[in-house]
Each structure stands twice: as structure tokens, then as C-alpha cells.
Amino acid sequence: MCFAISSPAHAADTEAWTPTESAIRAASAGIALPQTVAGLSLSKSGEASNGGRAVDNYAQYLSEDGAIQATLYVYLPTYADASLAAYMTDKAVMERFGAKTRRTAYASASAAGRADSAIRAVYEDAADGALTTAAGFVHAGRWIVKIRVTGPTERRGEVLAGLDGMLANLSVDDPASLHSTAPASFAACPAAPTADARPTPAKLVGEAVPQDVRIPRDGRDALCIRGTVATADGNYDMLQQAGRNDGAIIVPIDDSGTVLAFDPATDGQGYKLSIHMVGQTDLYGVYDKVPSPRQVAAIIDGKDTQTAEAQAVATYAANGEITVSRLAQKGR
């Protein structure tokens, strides 16, 4: 990604994982998994990024011979949506493992003892037929849990047992925090205007927290593709709620929770831009309407002068605290 991301001071260091006698636990998230499950054993754990903040955590598991590898991710995207995480991971898997890859399962599943609280995906014949890879996605409170298990095609049964065992043995402190989720569904999208939007003089009000992006999540309603954004690094979909022309627009960027959001301003005048990541939301200004695909591409590529710098940054701590830092703007 080329757009500017600010780096405010980190909150006090937090332990990513707390091991118990038989499990590994992400204490801030209230989520745990046994250290040995379905023939896989914990190998290492730590933070994928945002070191010391415990908002982007991973734990790697291996079979005894190391041929089957699994990773448990517990992370805090400021736009949390298990359906969207599955959708973007699906695109990444298909792109990474080649044209022979076949998706053989992609549906709601049980996790942590609750029905329909996960999305389960299975891919066969990956890497020219050499691998089977599988994934599970859970939305618990503010957190996303992603499980990836990969192994040789001839050991497909062990790969699937690993994924299913991890989903079944996942432990959540507050079962009520589990969101029911289903794969994203897409309906026909009406033709969208293609004219460029203009920045407005509206002042930032500093209120962009995830629930402010008013669009159904976790597969609760159909989405549609408003347009395709072509950038230097690839193509991205502009998504909106099907049947609504006045709602939020989101542009998922990757499978780790980066999302551009254009949400109707609270006064009904235009759309405010926010960029959501793991543990951080960058807050930008307001456009008089939804920017065109060309403008969105310029934002992603870092070539849009109006959004070269954020006006404010909301930093999320693992304990739920949010700190908003306003930034000095050049030429203002």
C-alpha cells in the first residue's frame, strides 16, 4: 500500500499470549486454543506486527514431521468482518496457488461449540496439485480469528482434521460475543456514477470507529460490486449494500483487514473517508459524493493530493481503549 499511514506513540506493551499448562491464550481477546490439537502441536507464537500492542497475534502449529503447518491468527482490525476476511483470503489463496486450485468447501460452520459462528473453506489441488489448504474465520467481539492449515495433498484428511479440530477446540471467554456469520453473497448492482467527487470544506469530527461504517457485516445482507478499481498493484472491488444507493461503500485491500470506507457524513452532506487497518483507523476528509474508481485508485496508489496525509489517527489498544490524535495539515 502506498497511502500514508501515521504512527502515533504506542500504548504500553502488552503480552500477546499467555501460555497455560495445556493451552495458549490471547488474554486481551479472551480467546484460547490447546497447545496440542488434532495431531498438531504449538511451535511458536508472537506478534505479526504492531509489536508490544497485542492487537496482531499469531501462533504456529506443526505436525510431528513438520509436513502439515497451521497458523492461528487473533487480530483486531478496526473494520471487523469474518465474511470479508474469508472473501479476501479466498482471493489471495486463488491468486497464490494457481489456476488448478479448486474450492471444494465454503460455508458456515460451528466454532467454539456454537453453530454458524465460523466460515470454513477448503481448497484442493493447490500449487499444481501438491497441496491441500483450508481456512476458518470467526468474529468474536472486536476480534477476528483466522485459522490456516496446509499440507500435502496425500494427507488431505489430516489437514481437514487440523482445521476442524482447531475450530471445535477454540475457546472464547464470552460465547455471546461470537457473531453468526456466512460467506458473502453478491447481487446485481445498479450502474454507479463515474464522475469525480470533490473534497468539501467540512471539518473532521473525529468519530470514525468501526461501527460508524454503516453496512451489514458477517454476511447478514447481500453486497454488490459498484465498480472495479485498477491500481499499480492489482484490482480491487468497490462494495456496497445491495439495493441501496445511499449507504456506505467499502474497498477491501488485503486479507489482513485493510479496508477503505466511504461512509455518509453524519450531517447527510457527502461521504467521509477512513482507512481501517489492524489496530488503527486513519481519518480523512469529506467528499461531496462517492469518489470515482479513478480517484480511489489514486488514493490507494498514494497519488491523490487531497488524501496524501490523514487529518487524524485513531489508535486501538487491545483493552478496547481508543486514542484519537489530530495531525497538523500542510497548507491549512
Side-chain angles (χ1 to χ4, degrees), residues 3 20 26 72 134 158 180 197 203 228 274 289 299 304 319 321:
F3 48 72
T20 68
L72 166 72
E158 294 172 74
S180 295
K203 294 182 179 180
T228 300
S274 53
K289 57 186 175 184
I299 293 169
D304 182 77
N319 64 5
E321 294 180 357

Side-chain angles (χ1 to χ4, degrees), residues 76-101:
L76 179 65
T78 59
Y79 187 99
D81 183 339
S83 178
L84 196 62
Y87 171 71
M88 293 303 292
T89 299
D90 180 84
K91 297 181 79 171
V93 166
M94 290 301 201
E95 181 177 328
R96 175 183 176 186
F97 287 113
K100 290 185 178 180
T101 306

Side-chain angles (χ1 to χ4, degrees), residues 8 11 15 46-47 51 53 109 148 156 158 164 224-225 231-232 238 251 255 298:
E15 289 291 337
E47 294 184 69
R53 291 175 55 196
R148 285 287 309 277
R156 172 184 182 274
E158 294 172 74
D164 293 339
C224 65
I225 299 175
T231 75
M238 296 179 67
V251 186
D255 62 347

Side-chain angles (χ1 to χ4, degrees), residues 17-25 32-36 42 61 169 171:
W17 297 99
T18 303
T20 68
E21 184 175 338
S22 60
I24 186 166
R25 173 179 168 80
L33 191 70
Q35 293 190 30
T36 301
L42 180 67
Y61 287 70
N169 286 278
S171 172

